[in-house]
């Protein structure tokens, strides 16, 4: 869009559009969207990159399943238990400072990317303990406070069967801790989620902060799995009461259905069971049911969930581009509005000048009349 010599707004002819049928799949829609954005010039380069990333993820079937929740709910321990390896650092104080992506790889490895020209680092180590120690330097608040090392992404590659179907598990900073930047990092990460394991625990039960966060998560992630952790702190009756309270809260304040499952687990027992290869303890921990549910979802429901998530994210890109165009149109209209306002102000000033001129003319006319009368009187004398 530009201005012609007369100051009128002209709209440039759009590039020819390729026909897109209603039955067109998501991959073709993304390709069409990328073509349109690229035709708008370099100003939408960020949006073009986002669409390109979505196309790549959809093509590879790379599904982002994040573990979300308040700090100290046991997110890292839960992931360690599901993977059967204590790779993620855990502690009794808030730990995770940046999101950590866990992907499948033939060889166990940690990759760290940093901003401002820092070279990426890769570390294989000789054991899980060594890899955990290397990881701790970058993803914990204690050794990387406020992310002073400028870590942009951390990947952990593991030959885990759970990761073999294209799923990427993500450990996120907890919300609501004393470290506000951890909460901000989690909120900024939400647009990358395709689905989420939302973790609460029995001590204490779900809080107002978690409910508010969960409402925001539901807008970003089309699929949610609810996990109640630390049930080993409760006896049988307390477990029933806690689950009943949690379901009631989620139904009334978040809007989940009565049929949505809530998995009651002990991540700590599950990790012990995996490390000791204790099948009975694994079943008692409740993680066997959660793992089976996730595997069924990844086999039968992942593709549809990924496509739905990608479409949502593509709509976010469209909204971002439309906002840019609206601002551009607004910026073109502003000079015309300012000109109109200045013309109006000039008219007011001109009217005031006319009035002042009339007053001055009247004053001069009166002075002239009085001067003539005076001269006539003096002439008679």
């Amino acid at each position: 869009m530009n201005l012609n010599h007369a100051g009128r707004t002209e709209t440039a002819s759009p590039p020819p559009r390729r026909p897109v049928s209603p039955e067109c799949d998501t991959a073709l829609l993304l390709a069409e969207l990328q073509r349109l954005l690229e035709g708008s010039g370099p100003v939408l380069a960020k949006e073009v990159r986002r669409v390109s990333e979505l196309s790549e993820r959809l093509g590879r079937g790379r599904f982002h399943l994040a573990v979300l929740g308040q700090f100290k709910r046991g997110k890292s321990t839960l992931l360690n238990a599901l993977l059967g390896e204590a790779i993620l650092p855990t502690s009794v104080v808030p730990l995770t400072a940046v999101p950590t992506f866990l992907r499948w790889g033939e060889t166990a490895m940690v990759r760290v990317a940093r901003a401002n020209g820092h070279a990426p680092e890769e570390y294989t180590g000789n054991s899980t303990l060594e890899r955990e120690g290397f990881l701790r330097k970058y993803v914990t608040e204690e050794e990387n406070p406020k992310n002073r090392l400028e870590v942009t992404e951390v990947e952990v590659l593991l030959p885990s069967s759970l990761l073999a179907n294209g799923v990427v598990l993500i450990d996120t900073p907890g919300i609501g801790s004393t470290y506000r930047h951890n909460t901000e990092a989690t909120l900024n990460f939400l647009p990358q989620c395709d689905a989420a394991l939302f973790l609460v625990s029995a001590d204490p039960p779900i809080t107002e902060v978690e409910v508010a966060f969960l409402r925001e998560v539901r807008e970003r992630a089309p699929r949610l799995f609810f996990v109640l952790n630390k049930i080993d702190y409760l006896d049988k009756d307390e477990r029933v009461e806690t689950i009943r309270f949690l379901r009631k809260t989620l139904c009334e304040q978040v809007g989940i259905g009565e049929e949505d499952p809530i998995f009651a687990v002990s991540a700590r027992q599950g990790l012990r069971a995996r490390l000791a290869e204790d099948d009975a303890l694994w079943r008692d921990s409740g993680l066997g049911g959660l793992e089976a549910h996730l595997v069924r979802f990844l086999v039968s429901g992942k593709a549809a969930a990924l496509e739905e998530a990608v479409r949502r994210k593509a709509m976010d890109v469209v909204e971002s581009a439309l906002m840019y165009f609206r601002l551009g149109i607004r910026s073109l209209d502003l000079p015309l509005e300012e000109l109109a306002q200045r013309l109006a102000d000039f008219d007011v000033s001109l009217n005031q000048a006319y009035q002042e001129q009339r007053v001055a003319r009247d004053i001069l006319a009166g002075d002239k009349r009085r001067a003539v009368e005076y001269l006539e009187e003096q002439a008679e004398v």
Side-chain angles (χ1 to χ4, degrees), residues 1 21 32 53 78-79 82 95 127 129 131 151 168 183 206 239 246 255 286 294 359 365 377:
M1 186 171 291
S21 66
E32 177 69 8
E53 291 168 359
L78 177 69
L79 283 170
L82 288 173
L95 259 182
S127 66
L129 182 62
R131 288 186 287 272
V151 176
V168 179
T183 298
I206 190 168
R239 292 183 188 181
L246 176 59
L294 289 177
V359 171
E377 290 177 357

Side-chain angles (χ1 to χ4, degrees), residues 323-372:
M323 180 178 296
Y324 169 80
F325 288 125
R326 292 189 189 106
L327 290 174
I329 293 171
R330 180 65 177 166
S331 67
L332 292 175
D333 290 341
L334 279 176
L336 298 178
E337 292 178 359
E338 292 176 358
L339 179 59
Q341 183 62 46
R342 290 184 181 183
L343 287 174
D345 294 341
F346 178 74
D347 288 339
V348 172
S349 300
L350 190 60
N351 289 332
Q352 291 177 346
Y354 284 148
Q355 292 176 0
E356 292 174 358
Q357 186 182 36
R358 284 196 297 268
V359 171
R361 190 184 299 117
D362 292 342
I363 293 174
L364 289 173
D367 290 343
K368 180 181 178 181
R369 187 176 61 254
R370 284 190 293 272
V372 170

Side-chain angles (χ1 to χ4, degrees), residues 26 29-31 33-34 37 47 50-51 54-55 57 191 306-322:
T26 302
L29 290 172
L30 289 174
L33 175 58
Q34 183 169 343
L37 292 173
E47 284 72 16
R50 289 176 62 189
V51 174
L54 290 175
S55 297
R57 282 219 289 122
L306 176 59
E307 187 166 351
E308 181 181 354
V310 166
R311 283 176 176 261
R312 287 192 183 193
K313 291 169 176 55
M315 285 303 301
D316 291 339
V317 174
V318 171
E319 287 296 328
S320 176
L322 289 176

Side-chain angles (χ1 to χ4, degrees), residues 153-196:
E153 184 172 294
V154 175
E155 284 187 319
V156 177
L157 278 64
L158 293 171
S160 168
S161 59
L162 187 60
L163 304 175
N165 295 316
V167 66
V168 179
L169 297 176
I170 305 162
D171 190 22
T172 63
I175 64 165
S177 74
T178 54
Y179 304 121
R180 180 175 177 81
H181 56 279
N182 280 1
T183 298
E184 292 173 350
T186 300
L187 294 175
N188 292 336
F189 174 76
L190 284 182
Q192 297 189 48
C193 297
D194 299 324

Side-chain angles (χ1 to χ4, degrees), residues 69-70 73 175 198-215 226-229 242-251 253-254 256 262:
Q70 198 165 351
R73 293 305 202 187
I175 64 165
F198 196 87
L199 196 64
V200 297
S201 70
D203 62 328
I206 190 168
T207 65
E208 184 179 359
V209 171
E210 288 171 305
V211 170
F213 178 51
L214 183 53
R215 292 195 188 105
F226 299 98
V227 181
L228 172 65
N229 191 25
T242 300
I243 294 174
R244 184 199 65 77
F245 172 78
L246 176 59
R247 180 174 295 281
K248 181 174 183 293
T249 302
L250 293 176
C251 289
Q253 300 192 38
V254 183
I256 76 164
I262 296 175

